[in-house]
Structure formats: C-alpha cells, structure tokens
Amino acid sequence: MNQKLYTFNGGVHPDVHKAESNATPIRTMPLSARYVVPMRQHIGEPARPVVAVGDRVLRGQMIGAAEGYVSTAVHAPTSGRVVAIEACAVPHPSGLFDLAVVIEADGEDQAIAYQPLDWRSLDPSALRNRMRDMGLAGLGGAVFPSYIKLNPGAQKIHTLILNGAECEPWITCDDRLMRERAPEMLRGIEIMRHALGCQTVLIGIEDNKPEALAAMRAAAPAEIEVVAVPTMYPGGGGKQLTYTLTGVETPTGGRSTDVGIQVFNVGTAYSLYRAVEIGEPLISRVVTLTGHVAQPGNFEVRIGTPLADLISAGGGMLPGASGEIIGGPMMGFDLMDLAAPVTKAVNCLIVKNPKFFPIKPIELPCIRCGACARACPADLQPFEMYWYSRAKDFGRAQGYNLFDCIECGCCSYVCPSHIPLVDYFRFAKSEIWEREREKRAADLARSRHEFKAFRLEREKQEKAEKFAKAAEKSKAAASSNADPTAPADPDAEKKKAILQAALERAQKAKESVAPKNTENLPPRVQKEIDEIEARRATVEATTETKE
Amino acid sequence: MISAILVMAAIGLVLGGILGWASIKFRVQDDPLVEKIDAILPQTQCGQCGFPGCKPYAEAIAKGEADINQCPPGGADGVNRLAELLGVEPKPLGEGLEAKPKSVAIIDENTCIGCTLCIQACPVDAIIGAAKQMHVIVASQCTGCELCLPPCPVDCISMQVIKEDVVNWKWRYPIHMMKRAA
Amino acid sequence: MIGSPYILGRNSTSAIMLKVMLALIPGIVAHAWLFGPGIWVSLFLCSAFAIVFEALLLLMRGLPLKPFLSDNSALLTAWLLALSLPTLAPWWLYAIGMLFAIVVAKQLYGGLGQNLFNPAMIGYAALIVSFPVNMTQWAAPVGLADHALTLLDAFDVVFAGQGSISADAYTSATVLDTWKTQARLGTPSESILSQPIFGWAGGQGHEIVALMYLAGGLLLLSLKLITWHIPLAFLAGLAATAGVLHLIDPTQHASPLLHLFSGGAMLGAFFIATDPVTAASTPRGKLIYAGMAGLLTAIIRAFGGYPDGVAFAVLLMNVCVPFIDTYTQPRVFGHHPGHSKGRKS
Amino acid sequence: MENYLLILIGTVFVNNIVMSKILGLCPFMGVSRKLETAIGMGAATTFVLTLASGASYLVDTYLLGQDLAYLRTLSFIVVIAGIVGFTEMFIKKSSPVLFRVLGIYLPLITTNCAVLGIPLLNVQEQHNFLESLFYGLGGALGFSLVLVLFAAMRERLEAADVPKPFRGVSIAMITAGLMSLAFMGFAGLIR
C-alpha cells in the first residue's frame, strides 16, 4: 500500500461507459458451426499451417506451427474437419484478406489429451519453448509472443508489472476476469515470476474498479502488491503504467526490459496458468461485447468464432446501429466485414450508435493552441508533427520524434479543430516504414550488383590467367623439345609418348570415319554442292587478298 | 594616372599572394558527392535513365552531365530528394517517363527452356538456374528492372505488380473533410 | 478513411474564440462608459469589414464559407484591432486596418492557423506608420472632454469626418504621449504627473480599462484558454525594464506602474501576445517570447519614435517565434534528460 | 567604448542592413530556404564583411587618399573579391556539405550589395578604423540575424497551404515586407 505513485504529463478523461458491460458475469458462448482461425494473430512471422484440407482436428490440436524466432503457434478451437486453408476476412484496419484455416465444427468438441507441466522443476528455456508451442501471445492488444517476453535474457529483470489498468473506455474484459478468476490468475503470475526470476511483482489496477482490486488483493499472497493507480486514459499504456508505478521512463526506441522491468497483461497471466497447469493452449479468451446490443457483457469466446456469432450471442444489434469497432473507441479500428473471426488480439467489439459515436465534425485548420501538446502522455508536440506530416515532409516529422508516439489518440480527442491527428501520424509512420523497406531493398540490390560486377571481373581474370598459363606451357613444351641436350627426365619422356600415341589414335579415327552422306548423292544435290564449293573457294581467295 | 595604376597593381599583387598561399594550404580532395547521390537512387540498375546503372547515372549527375529527373523508379519523391541534396529547384519527371507501380518478374515454368540468357542479363543475379535446367526468379531480390524480358527467346518472363497485403498495407492520407464538404 | 479515436472532447475552435471575445467584454464596457460611445462604432465597423474581407477571400480561394466564418477568428481579430485603435477615427482607417489584418496578414498565408504575424498588430502597425496623425487622436476621458458625445454624434464624426464638432473638442493626447514629449522637453516628473489626464496609476480612465482587461485575462487563465507563461513574462519583462530605466533616470522614464496600466500593455499581455497561432508554442519558448516582447515594449516606449511599443514588440517577437520554437523543444518521454532534442531534419 | 556599442546596436536593430536599408536582398531571398544554410551563410558573410570593412578602410586612407578617391569602389570590390575567394576555399576545406549547399551563393557574397555598401558608408560617415570595423560587424550581424530568423519562418511557411499564386518566393517577399514593417518599430531609437 505504501507504493509511491508518479504522475506522467498529459492524459485525458473520456467518460468510461464501463457500467454497460461490467455488471454481468462472463458468459461462455455456444459452439459455432464454422471457425476461421487466421495464421497471423501475433507480431512477427505468421504461423505455417501443418494440417491439410480434409484433416480431422481435435480441440487444442496445433494447426499452425511457429515460424522463425518471433512467432507462436495457432491451435484448433474445437474438434472438426478442416474444410479450407485460404485467404479469409480478418479483423484488420485495411479490410484485406489473410491466410486462415477454416474448420467445420462436428459438435463433439473432443479435446486432445492435455498434459499439465510441472513448471517448478522444468528448466526455464524448456518451459518457454512449450509456451511457444501453446500459442501464448499478449492479450492486452499488442499480441507479442509471450515466450520471448518470459526470457529475462542478458539484463536482470527486477520488477514484473501486471497491467490490469484497462484505461480504454467501454472495455471491461480484464475487470470481469480479475473479479471472477483472481486465484487462477495469481497462479499464472507465480509462473511468470519463476520464469523471469524477479523479486518484486506489482499489479496496477485503476481505482475505478474497486471490486477487481478487492478480489485481487484477497487472492494475492503477501509479497505481490496490488496497487490502485489513478483513473486516467492512457494510464494503462505499457510505458505509462511502468512510469506510474516505478518512476522509470522506458528509453526511447527501447523496451521496458532495457531498464529491468517486464510488463504483462493480466489476461495473459490467466492464459499462462491454463497453458501450464491445465495444459490447454490459447484457444479462447474473454471478449467484451458492448455498445448498441441487446445484452452487452463479457463472453469467453473461442479464437476463430465469427464476430457475427458473437453479436448474435449478445442478443443481436439494436436498430439504428452505425457500424462496429474492434478494440476500444480510442485505439480501435472500424470492422470492415462481420464474417471476420475473433483473434487473440480482439479484446472488445463495440457496436456504434450515433448517440455515443457521432459523425466526426468538419476538420478546421490547426491554431497551434497546444492543447494536444498538453494532453500528450509522451510529451511530444503533436501540432508540429502534424504540420510536417501533412506537408509530407517526413524527415522533419521524424525530427520531432514521430516514432515516440504511442497513437493513444489523446491529441485527436482534445483538438478543438477536430483534426484526426493520429491518422496523419499513422500515415507518416507507414510512409517512413515503406521508405525504409525500399532503402533496405536498394542497398541489397546495390551490393548484389557490385558483387556481380566483381564476379564478372574475377571470371575474366581467371580466364586470362588460364590462357596465359596454357600459352606458357605450350611455349615451355616447344622450348624443351627444341633443345635436345637438355637432360630428358624419364617421366617427361613417358608423358610425351602417351601423348604421341593418343594423337595418332585420334588421327586414325578421323580418317576411318569417312563422311558417309556425301558419296551416292543424286546429281542435283551434287551440282549444288559443287556450286557452294566454288563460291567458298572464291570467298577464301578474296579474304586472303584482304589480309 | 600612373599612381592609380600602381595602386591597383599593388592591391592585386597582395591579394594574389594571399589567394595563392590559401589554395595550397586548403588543398582538398573531391567530396564524396557521388556516393550521396547513389544513396538516393533506387538501385534498380534498370538503365531507363540512359546510363548502364545507378552508379554511372550518379557520376553523371555529380559531373552535371545528367539531369536529376531521369529516374522513373525513383519517382517524383526521388527527384525531390536529389533536388534537396544538390540545392536546386525540384523538377517534374522527364517527358515520357512515369513511375510505374513496383513489380516483380515471374518466370512461367512450363515454357522456360533453360537457356541462361536471362541469368546473364539480370543486374543483381536474382535468377537461379543452370543451362537446360529450370530457372526461377527470387522475388525478394528482383528490383523490377525488366532487363530480363528482352533476351528471353521464348518470352516466358512476365512482370507482376506487387499486390497490397496485410503486411505492406499503408494508412491512407486522411481526406481533408472540408475539401470534400465544399 | 478516418480511423480512431471515435470519441471527441467537447471544446471547439469557435467556442475558444467566443470565450476570448466574452473575456474582452468587461474592457469594452469600461471603455464605452469612460471614453464615450465611439468604441461601439469602431467595433461594429471593424467586425463588418472583417467578415466582408474574410468572406471575399474564402470565395476567391474556393473554400466553404460556413465553417470558416463561424469559427469567429476574423471577429476576434476585428475586436482586438478596434480596441487598439483610437475610437473616433475616420471609417477608412478601420477599412485599411482590417484589409491589412485579414487579407495580407492572414488569408495570404493560407487562412487561420498558418499566419506568421499577429493580424491585429499588422493592421495597427500599417496604420500607425502610414497615418500617424489620425492614430494619435485618442478620445479624451468623458469627464475631461468639453463635449460629451452621443452615439449618433459618434457615427456622424466617423462617417462625415470633421462634421459639426471640431476634433480637439473630444480628443486629448494619451498618457504615454504627454509623458514622452514633456520628459524630452525636460519638465520635472512631478509637474507632468500633476496634469489632469494622469490618474493614480495610468491615464485617468485608462487605468480602469486596463484593470478590466486584467480581469478578463484572469478569466481566460481560469478557463485554461491561455497558459500563465505569456502574460506573466510579458508584464514582468515590461515592468522590470521600465523599473531599471526609471531607477537610472526617474525624470526621463515613467514608473513601471504607469507603464503597466497605460497604453496597450494589459490588452497586449492577455489578448494579443497570447494569440496561439503566432505566439511561441513551447513553455520555455513562451517565456522567452513574452519576456523579450515586454522588454522591447519598454525600450520602444522609452527611446523609440512611436508612443506605444506593444504592437511592434509583438511583431518583432513573432519574427523570432519559428526560430525560438525550433530550439526550445521540451524533453520527450524516454529521452534521457539533458540530451538536447533540437530539430533533426 | 559607449560609442562603439551604440554603432553596433544601431546597425543591428535600428537601421538594419536588410530591413531598413534594403540592401543584400538576393542572398536574403536565395539562401533562406533552409535554416542550416542560412546560419552558414550568415557566418560566412559576417567573416567577409568584417574583414572587408577593415581592409577597405586601410586601402582608402593609406593607398587612395584624396586624389585617387575615384578608385574607391573599384579597389573595394577587388579587396572583397579576394576575401571571398579566401573564404570560399576555407569553407570548401572545412565543411564540404555547407560548401555544396551554399553553392552559387558563396561566390555571390562578392556581389552582395550590402558587402560593398558598408565600406562605402564607412567612408561616407568618416568612421575611424575601429568604428568602421564595428560598423561592418554590426551590419553583418544584423544581416545574419534577419537571415536566420527569415529562414526559420520560411521553413514553417513551406507547409502552409498558401493560395496557389502566392506560393514560393512571393509569400517570402510579403513576409520580408511585414518583417521590415516590424523593424520600423525601432525607427528613431537612436537620436
């Protein structure tokens, strides 16, 4: 309780709208008919499908293996048959399709044999590799493969922070999770502490969730401290929560592990518990369904459940709904296609209505009033970055530390001219990333081009050397037989004899092979050959005169 | 009149001396401008600028023989960056040159006869194959310079524009609501 | 395709401008009560010209009228210019002032938010440089003037020019003007101060108006529309410099109190220097910007040719704002302290 | 000493070379596109101008005297050209980047009317050696100050959506005009 709190600059207080969905307990969804499980549900390389169309899969069976270091596995949410492995609609701001495994559920929901792990005796790297195969990824929204984060690596991790702040309005999935499953979550936290080998463990929960605080404090052992952090958006940002609890600023461009602190979402801790102590891979997560639906609330949803089924499980949309948002209203994105499935990254689905989500007013020019700079939790100057991003002068936008922006949306929220500042920053960032990709491709092309020029040069030299050597050998050979007094060393004699014999044999072979097809030719063909021979003779005559 | 000439001659002599001494003391080798220009060019080695590669084009720009807007793969953005580096006025792309969307060459396996002509033509060795063996283009290394199209006797190489997918998708420039409302 | 965030805060640019205009009301009412109804005429005229010019330019630039006219920025500029000009000047003076302010200083740069100079001050500077005579005919306090004007007379004077009443019946020199001319003639400060137009702090009547602007400014501060940096630094810079000069040579230079409560000091500190578009944007930058502006105001008032230096001081510091902003960028979260985060292009 | 300070303040603020005397406009417009180049140009011009006004005073008093007064402009230009040549080589050696970015405007210092104007003004106002040095330094500092501030303004103007006909140099000209309007505030500062 005596934990000293630090306050970061900026932040806003949107109205939280938590009451709509945090009253009712977590409901489990009925089985859907079809499940669409995308291969890319985490940061890094997408998983590689290991099943074929037509295979029968069981619940929890791995259908996509992790590919490369930054990757994690993907599992079947229920038992059934793989009907297709193709590009399907996925929850992504672009609305583009991505590779996914489509499973037709057979209703039996038969699981593979779960093997719980004795994580205390298992050595940490083996534990981490199992986590990689269990498909664990950050459920706070970043979906970074958790097995990498569990590796303390070179630096010593002295503090583990559990992020239960959930500062984004409307979302309450962590809140319900902490209230109902605190003991299991704390077992997961024990495993994390064992894997990271750190002493202090802090759980940050915003003070607008008293029940969750009480539940976690009741279940928490003495040495784990549950801290009530002030309610402020974006108090739950990784860097912001770390600063609030420890006063340490995560270095720019680096991660909190550079300063010995690791941050995990509370949902990730719970799924770690199920993966290690029960042996069930990450096949389901708690999702908030809220906004303009009949019965908003939190659901235990299988990964791959089409979002349309989730909405119908919540009693369907009320009339007058104006679109859906994946994630929260501050950092989420518009859902393009309802057929898209729930993935590991989806923590909330909000059905918009014109009352709470009015159409954006017209964007007026920026008057440099500085409200956004005061609201920015990263102490940036959003109007300067906007000024140069709008003019597409990406060099200068980067000069104003564009890549320290966490895209939390506070600046767009407070802007009196309603400028979509975050959109300008996202546009500038993706343009700069693309330019960097092109730069890397150009450097690769230059180095390959220079190597090709070098290779051609080298081949020319080798050929020149070979000719030079051959010319010397023939000269040397000519000089050796021109001077008989030279002491004929015996093997040179023998070699010359063999050479001589080979030459004679080749000579005889050439004579014996008479051209068969030039004897009994019809007179017409014979005449033609004579003409050609005559012409060739005249050509040779003229060429000799030219030299 | 004579004194005027004498005075001017004296000033000229003194300054000439200072400049002579300075030019010796401040001898300087050529500055690495060519590398800086080469760093901006997209290295497709495609020759559409009239030079056999990006390096020769960079040298030509440095020497002032070539204009800065002859590189279509670089696009208008490349021309602007060259203009900024050299401190000259940015110009639109040269006449008849327009920046095509980035594309990659694809070999149609069933018509390729393995004649290795395209392998020799590729400036960045992005084509794998041997005489009379199947050839394939490494998509990640192909710069889209289209130099392998002409030598292919059976025309089995085609250019395919790189499709937008979830990874290389870019956020759009936010439409200025006011302009649309006008 | 506009993405998140999907919810917005409540304030808007037009609301901000409106609140600033409301904060001006106390000053205007005091001015009207103490210096006669001339202020209403100049406010009306300036506002009318501002709307006309702004609409004209927006049409020429092919932009929609409604969003821009309704953001009240043109109106605010008009009010600020009207309050810094003498009230009973001929109408074309207001027209030319607004022409410079709206057209040259704002629309040519691309409209709201992109201009480099404070539009009202450009208007004032252009007028004082080209029409010095009209610009020094300030309305006398009602008590002192030998002829109290009614609203109709004011309209008559403004539109018909000299008309029935002669100019010196209702005008008098300002406090700063008399101090400068008398001090340079060498009359001792006591006798200058004893003249009727001098009140207890600034000019008789002027100090009440200045107090009202101060009240309006504090209202702005409480509504968080401006930060304390600019007004405090401006007034401190002005008072400190005037104080030092006063200590050096009390007969030549007026007391800091008189400087604070006369001319455009209070209006400048709270309403003109704090124009977010043309002021410095970083906290440290604001302190430098406003402090130097205060200093320059005092220097111009003491040694310069023009009676009141606020306009020129603000313009001179507007020139330095892009330079100041570039090199006073605050430390960004995660960048270890002490590391200068200047602009990297 | 107080007199020199007065000259310095006078030439930097009150009758600023660019803003009040409207001299040296072509580098003022040409080099003010980027802040770094403006700072480089300011430094180069200050170096040249201070040396030039000192050297031209010496040339004028000792070499020309009264009878050869008609040679004044010619000799000043030769001296300035020499100094600029020296500066050009020095910058080419010390920072090739600045040299290339300044490009044509470095040799153009010779033709900068401020650089020739100040020595002539020195002669006209009969300054002694130290006064002309301070006058040259003040003029150059004033030029550099205004050039750097103007460059920062133009960098910000680059991204403003100025109406089409006013884009580029024309809005820069208007800004320069408004700057000189602001500098009029200093008029009459020094009695």
Side-chain angles (χ1 to χ4, degrees), chain C residues 40-305:
Chain C
W40 302 119
V41 175
S42 56
L43 274 177
F44 165 73
L45 267 180
C46 282
S47 308
F49 281 125
I51 299 291
V52 164
F53 285 134
E54 180 104 349
L56 211 66
L57 260 292
L58 287 174
L59 281 178
M60 272 198 273
R61 287 179 58 201
L63 293 173
L65 287 189
K66 191 184 159 317
F68 280 96
L69 286 184
S70 66
D71 71 14
N72 310 341
S73 63
L75 272 182
L76 179 60
T77 310
W79 282 28
L80 288 177
L81 184 59
L83 290 172
S84 34
L85 294 179
T87 51
L88 295 167
W91 65 272
W92 43 263
L93 198 79
Y94 300 120
I96 294 171
M98 285 322 294
L99 180 79
F100 268 92
I102 295 293
V103 175
V104 173
K106 185 173 144 193
Q107 287 298 336
L108 279 194
Y109 283 87
L112 176 66
Q114 333 219 9
N115 47 329
L116 293 173
F117 294 93
N118 187 315
M121 287 306 110
I122 287 287
Y124 177 90
L127 288 179
I128 197 157
V129 166
S130 15
F131 309 103
V133 174
N134 300 76
M135 288 293 278
T136 49
Q137 291 176 337
W138 288 85
V142 173
L144 292 179
D146 32 24
H147 185 88
L149 290 174
T150 64
L151 191 59
L152 283 178
D153 299 346
F155 267 101
D156 171 31
V157 166
V158 166
F159 281 99
Q162 293 320 332
S164 55
I165 307 136
S166 70
D168 48 27
Y170 51 80
T171 56
S172 82
T174 64
V175 162
L176 288 170
D177 226 347
T178 31
W179 177 276
K180 181 169 282 188
T181 39
Q182 301 297 339
R184 285 186 184 165
L185 296 177
T187 46
S189 54
E190 295 72 22
S191 63
I192 300 174
L193 284 178
S194 61
Q195 287 183 5
I197 61 165
F198 282 87
W200 47 274
Q204 216 264 340
H206 277 296
E207 70 254 2
I208 308 294
V209 172
L211 266 178
M212 287 302 135
Y213 287 141
L214 179 61
L218 295 180
L219 176 70
L220 281 187
L221 266 176
S222 60
L223 291 173
K224 286 206 171 24
L225 295 175
I226 53 174
T227 59
W228 58 269
H229 303 87
I230 290 185
L232 192 67
F234 184 89
L235 294 178
L238 177 59
T241 323
V244 164
L245 290 175
H246 187 61
L247 288 177
I248 295 170
D249 182 353
T251 59
Q252 273 300 0
H253 305 297
S255 71
L257 200 61
L258 183 124
H259 274 293
L260 283 182
F261 282 90
S262 64
M266 282 302 170
L267 181 71
F270 285 99
F271 294 95
I272 292 175
T274 56
D275 164 32
V277 174
T278 53
S281 50
T282 58
R284 272 182 306 159
K286 281 182 175 149
L287 292 178
I288 299 171
Y289 161 78
M292 287 287 288
L295 183 130
L296 286 175
T297 309
I299 299 279
I300 293 173
R301 278 183 179 180
F303 304 106

Side-chain angles (χ1 to χ4, degrees), chain A residues 14 239 243 249-252 325 329-334 356-357 360-361 364-369 374 378-381 383-384 387 390 395-396 399-401 404 409 412-414 416-418 420 423 426, chain C residues 1-14 16-17 67-68 71 111-114 224-225 227 276-279 281-283 286 321 325-326 329-335 341-345:
Chain A
K239 296 182 180 180
Y243 182 75
E249 278 187 13
T250 311
T252 175
I325 302 176
M330 293 299 279
M331 286 182 80
F333 53 86
D334 270 315
F356 291 120
F357 299 92
K360 277 266 184 81
L364 286 173
C366 157
I367 59 169
R368 302 175 65 84
C369 63
R374 287 188 291 277
D379 301 338
L380 295 166
Q381 302 287 315
F383 53 89
E384 300 280 12
W387 184 259
R390 187 171 68 103
R396 265 198 211 100
Y400 282 97
N401 307 304
D404 282 316
S412 303
Y413 179 80
V414 295
S417 295
H418 315 308
D423 286 295
R426 287 199 194 103
Chain C
M1 204 268 294
I2 301 293
S4 70
Y6 295 94
I7 46 177
L8 291 179
R10 265 162 293 284
N11 66 5
S12 78
T13 309
S14 48
I16 288 180
M17 300 289 177
F68 280 96
D71 71 14
L112 176 66
Q114 333 219 9
K224 286 206 171 24
L225 295 175
T227 59
V277 174
T278 53
S281 50
T282 58
K286 281 182 175 149
V321 155
D325 271 355
T326 313
Q329 286 299 315
R331 188 181 71 80
V332 174
F333 185 91
H335 292 248
K341 278 322 291 171
R343 187 182 52 74
K344 283 200 309 293
S345 65

Side-chain angles (χ1 to χ4, degrees), chain D residues 60-118:
Chain D
D60 184 58
T61 45
Y62 299 110
L63 283 177
L64 298 185
Q66 288 321 323
D67 44 15
L68 288 179
Y70 59 85
L71 273 184
R72 202 168 280 148
T73 313
L74 186 59
S75 56
F76 287 173
I77 273 294
V78 170
V79 166
I80 291 169
I83 296 172
V84 167
F86 175 82
T87 326
E88 201 174 337
M89 281 181 233
F90 177 74
I91 290 185
K92 190 171 167 68
K93 175 77 171 137
S94 60
S95 89
V97 177
L98 179 63
F99 178 78
R100 182 169 18 80
V101 170
L102 279 180
I104 185 68
Y105 287 102
L106 192 52
L108 265 187
I109 298 181
T110 327
T111 60
N112 177 347
C113 37
V115 174
L116 178 60
I118 286 184

Side-chain angles (χ1 to χ4, degrees), chain A residues 350-363:
Chain A
I350 304 175
V351 179
K352 294 195 285 191
N353 64 359
K355 188 158 109 44
F356 291 120
F357 299 92
I359 301 164
K360 277 266 184 81
I362 282 193
E363 168 192 344

Side-chain angles (χ1 to χ4, degrees), chain D residues 26 44-45 49 64 70 75-76 82 88-90 143 170 174-176 178 182-183:
Chain D
C26 64
T45 311
L49 203 48
L64 298 185
Y70 59 85
S75 56
F76 287 173
E88 201 174 337
M89 281 181 233
F90 177 74
F143 176 79
S170 44
I174 292 171
T175 312
L178 294 179
F183 268 81

Side-chain angles (χ1 to χ4, degrees), chain A residues 73-86:
Chain A
V74 177
H75 300 80
T78 180
S79 58
R81 210 170 47 74
V82 176
V83 286
I85 301 179
E86 59 188 4

